[in-house]
Amino acid sequence: MPVDPSPEARPPHGALATAPSGGTSRAVKDFGAAVARGSLSMALWFFIGGLGRHGEPIYARRQLGAFVMVRIFLVGVAVVLFRWGQQEPAMALTAVIAFLSVGLLAFTARSYAKDALLLAATRDTSASKPLSVATVSAPRWFATRHLQALALGVDRLRRGDASAALAAISEIEPARLEADEHRMLLAVQALAARQAGDGKSAALKALAAFPTGALPIDGELGRVCIDGAYHDGARLGALVGAWTRGGHVSVTDDTELGKSLRFALVKLERLDPTALREDERAELAERARALGDLELARRISAAAPPSNAYR
């Protein structure tokens, strides 16, 4: 099973682990950035786009002719629109405001949907009501709908209903999601596969999903990753190295991720089980038994912690 050799390319753990705080302010920033990127991309395309494609020389006569004709047409359209704007300034201003308003509304809806996704992934499910199916309310052609469906799937998964989670995400188009959102989609698929008893699929998807930035989700993903690589020392060592180099988890973390890392380090004989707290040693010994490693389970159970045990 491959391990991502470049954890630095992933966002540091905790990138999404804070409380939702996007809303309108983030939507305005994202919309402004999208307009700026779009304008720059359009300018670059106008001046150099289409030249030298498919290995053809930049001076190919047919290609250069098409380049010039398209630019002449676009400049003509721009001149016509500019003249129309001069003659009908009120209508032109209204059209510009309407265009910007629709774009801002779309970005605002997406921002709130992303906040809802993060909330579903991080809140205490025992103290909150399940999300309603009515949460998925955006039109089908809006990217916001995919985030709403993903939030519903995460909520169903964290409440132990894998089949409902898979049903919720069944119509999501991955291409409509950003990179971090796609990892959350893979996380739902991985943890649902684990609940269904498909350990191989769960491990493969968990590796691709980690980290999502949501601690409750990443704690479960980390367990799947470690358990999936447990019986292969090389893979397990590579996984531990990727986590630590990427800053995703520390050996002293008092989280499920930290516990999984310590479990892997004990297996790799890089951490003495006597350094663990007694309750954690008992839990990790049981985890080793569940994975069929009775020798490690006995070694952990037999370890007597010193007075300065971990944490």
Side-chain angles (χ1 to χ4, degrees):
M1 191 180 302
V3 175
D4 186 348
S6 305
E8 294 80 4
R10 303 285 185 89
H13 190 268
L16 297 178
T18 56
S21 59
T24 305
S25 61
R26 186 174 66 192
V28 172
K29 293 177 183 178
D30 289 347
F31 181 58
V35 170
R37 287 194 303 269
S39 300
L40 179 59
S41 297
M42 182 64 184
L44 290 173
W45 174 86
F46 184 85
F47 289 107
I48 62 175
L51 291 178
R53 294 178 303 175
H54 311 302
E56 297 179 14
I58 196 170
Y59 51 80
R61 181 178 301 176
R62 184 175 58 182
Q63 187 176 348
L64 190 59
F67 175 89
V68 172
M69 292 301 295
V70 169
R71 271 62 182 178
I72 291 174
F73 173 76
L74 290 177
V75 169
V77 170
V79 170
V80 170
L81 290 176
F82 179 74
R83 293 297 299 274
W84 172 76
Q86 286 182 316
Q87 295 173 1
E88 302 288 346
M91 290 185 64
L93 181 61
T94 300
V96 170
I97 292 175
F99 173 78
L100 294 177
S101 297
V102 170
L104 184 57
L105 284 173
F107 273 77
T108 301
R110 198 181 199 289
S111 180
Y112 278 105
K114 192 156 188 171
D115 280 350
L117 170 60
L118 179 54
L119 186 61
T122 56
R123 67 179 177 176
D124 182 1
T125 55
S126 65
S128 58
K129 294 181 179 179
L131 288 181
S132 167
V133 175
T135 299
V136 187
S137 57
R140 291 186 178 276
W141 57 88
F142 278 28
T144 301
R145 185 180 182 88
H146 300 275
L147 282 181
Q148 292 172 340
L150 184 54
L152 180 62
V154 169
D155 183 73
R156 294 292 187 267
L157 179 78
R158 294 191 63 215
R159 295 176 190 278
D161 193 343
S163 60
L166 291 175
I169 66 172
S170 61
E171 296 184 3
I172 292 178
E173 298 174 19
R176 306 294 296 277
L177 301 176
E178 295 178 358
D180 58 330
E181 299 158 0
H182 187 229
R183 284 195 296 275
M184 189 67 77
L185 174 63
L186 291 172
V188 173
Q189 295 170 339
L191 298 179
R194 183 187 65 171
Q195 289 187 26
D198 187 353
K200 183 176 181 180
S201 294
L204 285 169
K205 289 185 179 294
L207 281 174
F210 184 88
T212 66
L215 284 173
I217 299 294
D218 284 347
E220 295 299 317
L221 288 177
R223 186 182 183 103
V224 173
C225 290
I226 293 297
D227 290 358
Y230 183 80
H231 295 289
D232 186 328
R235 279 172 43 211
L236 188 61
L239 183 59
V240 167
W243 282 11
T244 53
R245 287 195 307 272
H248 304 314
V249 60
S250 166
V251 70
T252 59
D253 281 2
D254 191 19
T255 62
E256 288 300 317
L257 267 179
K259 191 179 299 182
S260 286
L261 177 62
R262 289 189 288 277
F263 181 55
L265 290 174
V266 170
K267 170 65 176 177
L268 294 169
E269 298 184 355
R270 300 180 190 176
L271 177 65
D272 193 319
T274 60
L276 302 176
R277 208 169 53 194
E278 184 176 358
D279 59 340
E280 185 168 309
R281 285 189 297 111
E283 182 178 344
L284 296 186
E286 183 58 34
R287 185 169 170 179
R289 289 189 194 95
L291 291 169
D293 193 346
L294 301 181
E295 180 183 350
L296 182 62
R298 283 193 295 268
R299 184 156 61 89
I300 294 175
S301 298
S307 57
N308 60 342
Y310 243 97
R311 299 172 289 122

